[in-house]
Amino acid sequence: MSVPETNVESANKAYRPNIVGRVWLRGLCVLPVPLLAYVGRGLGWFFYVFDRRRRHIAEVNLKLCFPELQASGHRNLLRNHFLTSGQALLCTLGIIWYRPRRRLTKWVRLIDREHYDNALRQNRNIIIVAPHFLGVELAFARLSMEQEIAGMYRPPRHNILHWALDHKRRQFGAIPIENDSSLRKLIRILRNGIPFYYAPDLDQGRAPQHVYAPFFGHPAATVTALSRLAKMTNAVVIPYVARQLGSNRGYEARFYPPLDNFPGVDIQADAERMNGLIESWVRENPEQYFWIHRRFKTRPGSEKSLYK
């Protein structure tokens, strides 16, 4: 399927890193992946110590979601989150940017992929639900090597890290879709047989179509596009979760069985079901979730911000 140039692509073309940035990327990416992981954890420690804004956001989220932990437990989880985040950042750049196919297939393994392959063989419209774990970019790149796939992006910032990721995304066959695209555009893509890679777990503000659904016992603004898209396109919804296995073991991206009876008759119940599933996966590897996002930013009614 040929698509016109998107705003994401136009914005990306407008920014090119200078020669120093390109040399830095190339030098970084020739390092062995275990060494990248080690250096990345050092980078994560640096941000844990000096990035007070993101540390505050993550700390608030962890205290809200894990009230059963003592202060020391919160500190350990917070520190491990930053360490694994730094590791994921450098490994993502190193694995995707340099010799991508060989490195991707070696360091990112697809698990239980029969759930996805069966849907492809049956010519089903497919929505892949991929929550924001730290390996989500690698899992997307690995999947797009084998099948043209659409993914939703925010416009890239003008820095070298976003340029590198966006530049390589499209080389694997990904179709960038702006996060404010209409449902009509997404419906057209799905009906053309192109799987849609979707992360439903970001707080997008007071979006026109959202509900408040519990996430770790707190109301979280949840966009209802997943239910509406699945219903309008008769798409099968397949969860896909990325996990970091360790510095010498790489990543795994696991498919889960397609959701039964989804969407249901109640959009609110669908949102609660989806948030409940994501919560269960987060509890398995809590340090690897994207805690620096203000997941509870949008509050019901006139409730005050939880992050001030």
Side-chain angles (χ1 to χ4, degrees), residues 135-189:
V136 67
E137 287 286 351
L138 283 171
F140 181 42
R142 177 67 178 85
L143 195 59
S144 65
M145 284 175 54
E146 304 178 8
Q147 169 75 31
E148 187 178 41
I149 186 170
M152 189 164 282
Y153 307 124
R154 295 188 178 191
R157 300 184 185 98
H158 282 186
N159 66 51
I160 191 169
L161 299 180
H162 283 80
W163 178 85
L165 289 175
D166 291 325
H167 182 65
K168 282 298 179 181
R169 280 168 177 160
R170 293 189 300 278
Q171 290 195 16
F172 291 110
I175 299 174
I177 306 297
E178 290 80 7
N179 65 337
D180 59 352
S181 295
S182 66
L183 277 181
R184 183 179 302 175
K185 182 175 184 179
L186 299 175
I187 290 169
R188 184 169 64 250
I189 286 173

Side-chain angles (χ1 to χ4, degrees), residues 261-276:
N261 302 316
F262 191 94
V265 296
D266 184 0
I267 286 181
Q268 176 72 39
D270 289 343
E272 293 178 2
R273 180 183 178 188
M274 192 71 259
N275 281 1

Side-chain angles (χ1 to χ4, degrees), residues 31-97:
L31 296 176
V33 172
L35 181 57
L36 277 174
Y38 180 79
V39 175
R41 291 179 73 84
L43 180 66
W45 177 265
F46 176 86
F47 283 112
Y48 170 72
V49 173
F50 293 104
D51 193 339
R52 295 183 178 181
R53 184 181 69 85
R54 289 186 175 86
R55 189 176 67 197
H56 171 71
I57 293 171
E59 189 173 21
V60 170
N61 285 332
L62 291 174
K63 287 181 177 179
L64 287 170
C65 295
F66 299 97
E68 69 277 9
L69 294 180
Q70 300 295 324
S72 59
H74 286 135
R75 284 195 302 271
N76 290 336
L77 187 52
L78 180 66
R79 182 176 62 251
N80 288 335
H81 170 65
F82 274 85
L83 295 180
T84 54
S85 295
Q87 176 179 334
L89 174 62
L90 290 197
C91 285
T92 297
L93 288 173
I95 294 173
I96 290 179
W97 183 259

